[in-house]
Amino acid sequence: KEVVKLAKLYQRMLGMLRELLLKTDPAMRAVTMQRVARYAAIFGRAERELGGFLAHIGTEVREEATARRIRSFHSISRDLERVAAIAQRMSKAMERRSDQRLWFDPAQREAVLQLLDLLDRAARILVQNLEAEESQASLDEAAMVDRTIRRHCTRARQERWQDPDAPETSARTNLVLAELMSDGEVAGDHLLRVTEALVGRR
């Protein structure tokens, strides 16, 4: 139940990233940045507390299947803490873009929105798998979304690079876009790893 709560909190963080992408008011953006940092701190504490709890009950376990399940949840809590840290890193990239007055064109902005939508879809599938019976957790849909995230990020990085004569600000904007796509790709990998752990593949 605690892990499900964390997965749902991550979905909220994705909503905050969307706000940072679309909002222009500096005061509102500052509040959103503080919320992202607070949520990332919650994940850090939760990962430590879950790790301590799992380590404690692990000393009393004799059945191999239960021990394997405990190891899986150790891995799951670490992966969820990492996706939260990545979301915070993405928020800082977005804020740096704003501070440096680097603006995405409509196609770039849409590429980032599509990435956030795909990560949200991956998180929804993750919640479904976490709430399902262990035998009913499905890897296929999670793997399909991860492949879609990878293709989207690769295409966005390739399409948005401009020629060497492009203005410096355009080049710097493309660097921010590439950074967001790389972070999103890694986050997708971690979300897939959670489902792999659930179904016993890790």
Side-chain angles (χ1 to χ4, degrees):
K1 287 181 180 179
E2 291 302 313
V3 171
V4 168
K5 287 180 185 177
L6 290 178
K8 291 179 178 180
L9 284 179
Y10 175 65
Q11 288 182 282
R12 292 186 197 173
M13 292 184 81
L14 292 173
M16 296 173 203
L17 294 181
R18 182 181 292 272
E19 290 176 11
L20 287 172
L21 182 66
L22 300 176
K23 286 182 177 178
T24 58
D25 181 76
M28 296 178 70
R29 293 176 63 85
V31 170
T32 301
M33 287 293 294
Q34 291 173 357
R35 289 177 64 208
V36 171
R38 187 165 65 249
Y39 272 53
I42 289 171
F43 272 83
R45 287 197 304 273
E47 196 274 332
R48 291 190 296 273
E49 291 171 2
L50 279 169
F53 170 74
L54 292 168
H56 174 70
I57 63 173
T59 61
E60 303 172 0
V61 168
R62 297 292 178 267
E63 299 83 2
E64 175 55 30
T66 304
R68 186 167 58 248
R69 187 74 168 159
I70 290 172
R71 289 195 296 271
S72 292
F73 272 93
H74 267 297
S75 173
I76 287 168
S77 64
R78 286 194 298 269
D79 280 314
L80 288 176
E81 191 274 334
R82 286 167 185 157
V83 295
I86 291 169
Q88 185 178 23
R89 192 163 67 218
M90 292 173 74
S91 76
K92 291 178 179 178
M94 290 183 183
E95 198 61 7
R96 187 172 70 251
R97 174 190 66 102
S98 179
D99 290 343
Q100 296 178 3
R101 298 187 178 279
L102 305 172
W103 311 116
F104 288 147
D105 66 30
Q108 289 173 315
R109 186 165 52 251
E110 182 60 27
V112 179
L113 287 172
Q114 288 179 17
L115 172 62
L116 297 177
D117 286 342
L118 286 168
L119 290 173
D120 184 71
R121 184 178 169 194
R124 286 200 310 272
I125 294 168
L126 173 57
V127 170
Q128 292 171 6
N129 281 327
L130 285 167
E131 292 180 330
E133 296 294 329
E134 183 178 355
S135 60
Q136 296 177 341
S138 173
L139 182 60
D140 292 344
E141 192 174 7
M144 181 192 68
V145 175
D146 180 62
R147 288 193 297 271
T148 304
I149 291 171
R150 286 174 174 273
R151 286 196 299 269
H152 174 74
C153 292
T154 298
R155 186 169 59 248
R157 284 192 297 260
Q158 292 173 344
E159 286 181 355
R160 300 316 305 171
W161 291 116
Q162 299 184 5
D163 64 81
D165 297 326
E168 181 188 353
T169 54
S170 297
R172 297 208 317 261
T173 301
N174 280 326
L175 285 172
V176 175
L177 179 70
E179 183 179 339
L180 290 172
M181 291 298 149
S182 295
D183 280 341
E185 195 170 357
V186 175
D189 288 343
H190 283 295
L191 292 170
L192 177 62
R193 284 163 61 94
V194 173
T195 297
E196 288 176 339
L198 282 173
V199 300
R201 291 282 295 271
R202 289 181 56 237

